[in-house]
């Protein structure tokens, strides 16, 4: 069975450099008329989606709370054609380049925040030359210091794969049918659902938990072979979904004995 690993972002000893930036555009937070929650998620980033000339680009250039849910839906549906079918668009989803400041020198990878992964351009070229799949680098609009330090690229990662139900609370309510919010706190011990995992990617973010970045064993081995710094890996167990139980068949009715009473 293929092995998968979560990219951990908490080990400061594996990082060099830092940045302070935000993506250029984002969907607003919402007030849901059905579940009454006020929220905007974090972690769902599409840096390769450019809204520069889009009709809603100006409105989505600043963070705000949209209290009219129908207006949020209108904004969301105008952006949806820019993404493949099935890609989620939750409140707080971000788009476009990172804008801000960064200070190096940098490690090969910079995983400062759980939802973003930055990489040096020559490192990205190396990984792609090794045949790793799912790597799409996007130029940032950050101001890099000191002068002459190699600029970092922001990886556009596809949302694929889900957590297995066995690692989720049994009392977890279904997502709100209106806004999609489920209110799930990420479990301490994650298990991946085998059937949901992509076979054509070596790096992706979970569809059901976008703050979780996952890589294959192939990715991990390439990083370790070339001694690329900045990442730590934690293996995630993979489990198959249990088949649905079939309803027991009713026992056949006994034949009435000849001459029996009605």
């Amino acid at each position: 069975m293929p092995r998968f690993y979560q990219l951990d972002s908490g080990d400061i000893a594996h990082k060099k450099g830092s940045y302070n930036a935000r993506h250029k555009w984002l969907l607003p937070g919402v007030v849901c008329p059905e579940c009454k929650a006020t929220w905007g998620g974090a972690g769902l980033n599409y840096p390769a989606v450019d809204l520069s000339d889009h009709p809603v680009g100006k409105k989505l250039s600043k963070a705000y709370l949209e209290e009219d849910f129908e207006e949020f839906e209108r904004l969301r549906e105008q952006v949806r054609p820019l993404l493949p079918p099935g890609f989620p668009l939750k409140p707080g989803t971000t788009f476009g380049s990172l804008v801000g400041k960064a200070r190096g020198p940098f490690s090969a990878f910079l995983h400062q925040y759980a939802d973003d992964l930055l990489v040096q351009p020559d490192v990205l070229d190396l990984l792609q030359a090794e045949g790793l799949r799912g790597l799409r680098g996007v130029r940032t609009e950050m101001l890099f210091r000191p002068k002459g330090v190699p600029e970092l690229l922001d990886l556009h990662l596809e949302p694929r794969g889900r957590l297995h139900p066995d690692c989720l609370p049994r009392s977890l309510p279904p997502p709100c049918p209106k806004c999609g919010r489920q209110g799930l706190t990420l479990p301490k011990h994650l298990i991946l659902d085998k059937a949901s995992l992509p076979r054509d990617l070596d790096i992706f973010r979970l569809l059901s938990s976008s703050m979780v970045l996952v890589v294959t064993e192939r990715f991990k081995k390439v990083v370790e072979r070339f001694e690329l710094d900045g990442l730590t890996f934690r293996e995630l167990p993979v489990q198959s979904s249990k088949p649905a139980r079939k309803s027991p068949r009713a026992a056949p009715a006994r034949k009435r004995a000849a001459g029996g009473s009605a």
Side-chain angles (χ1 to χ4, degrees), residues 16-20 101-106 110 143-146 149:
K16 294 197 293 281
S18 63
Y19 68 99
N20 182 14
K101 298 180 180 181
R103 176 161 292 276
F106 302 107
L110 185 54
L143 178 64
F144 288 87
R145 291 286 185 265
V149 69

Side-chain angles (χ1 to χ4, degrees), residues 137-185:
V138 179
R139 291 194 64 181
T140 75
E141 296 182 27
M142 293 192 291
L143 178 64
F144 288 87
R145 291 286 185 265
K147 188 175 181 180
V149 69
E151 297 187 3
L152 299 172
L153 299 175
D154 188 6
L155 289 180
H156 180 99
L157 303 178
E158 292 191 23
R160 305 274 286 276
R162 297 183 180 276
L163 294 176
H164 193 278
D166 281 2
C167 73
L168 303 176
R170 293 186 178 182
S171 58
L172 184 67
C176 172
K178 186 71 174 178
C179 70
R181 184 179 184 273
Q182 193 165 27
L184 170 67
T185 300

Side-chain angles (χ1 to χ4, degrees), residues 11-171:
D11 192 349
I12 196 66
H14 289 77
K15 302 171 192 170
K16 294 197 293 281
S18 63
Y19 68 99
N20 182 14
R22 59 170 289 245
H23 292 277
K24 291 186 75 171
W25 302 281
L26 74 164
L27 286 176
V30 297
V31 179
C32 178
E34 185 154 335
C35 70
K36 310 304 180 184
T38 300
W39 71 287
L44 199 50
N45 307 324
Y46 299 116
V49 175
D50 188 352
L51 301 182
S52 297
D53 299 319
H54 197 280
V56 300
K58 185 175 181 180
K59 188 165 188 178
L60 300 186
S61 63
K62 294 183 180 180
Y64 71 99
L65 179 68
E66 180 56 73
E67 297 187 12
D68 182 348
F69 196 82
E70 289 185 359
E71 172 63 10
F72 166 78
E73 291 179 312
R74 185 188 72 82
L75 294 169
R76 180 184 62 191
E77 295 313 306
Q78 289 195 68
V79 176
R80 192 178 297 282
L82 303 178
L83 292 166
F87 278 34
L89 282 169
K90 301 176 182 179
T93 298
T94 68
F95 314 95
S97 305
L98 283 168
V99 180
K101 298 180 180 181
R103 176 161 292 276
F106 302 107
S107 48
F109 296 92
L110 185 54
H111 192 203
Q112 181 171 310
Y113 304 109
D115 58 334
D116 260 320
L117 181 60
L118 308 186
V119 61
Q120 293 195 26
D122 58 340
V123 173
L124 178 60
D125 291 341
L126 184 155
L127 298 176
Q128 291 173 332
E130 289 294 310
L132 295 182
R133 303 154 301 171
L135 293 160
R136 182 181 181 185
V138 179
R139 291 194 64 181
T140 75
E141 296 182 27
M142 293 192 291
L143 178 64
F144 288 87
R145 291 286 185 265
K147 188 175 181 180
V149 69
E151 297 187 3
L152 299 172
L153 299 175
D154 188 6
L155 289 180
H156 180 99
L157 303 178
E158 292 191 23
R160 305 274 286 276
R162 297 183 180 276
L163 294 176
H164 193 278
D166 281 2
C167 73
L168 303 176
R170 293 186 178 182
S171 58

Side-chain angles (χ1 to χ4, degrees), residues 194-214:
K194 181 181 178 180
S196 72
L197 298 174
R199 298 182 180 182
D200 58 340
L201 299 176
D202 289 301
I203 182 169
F204 53 95
R205 68 174 74 249
L206 287 188
L207 185 65
S208 58
S209 303
S210 54
M211 298 289 284
V212 179
L213 307 188
V214 178

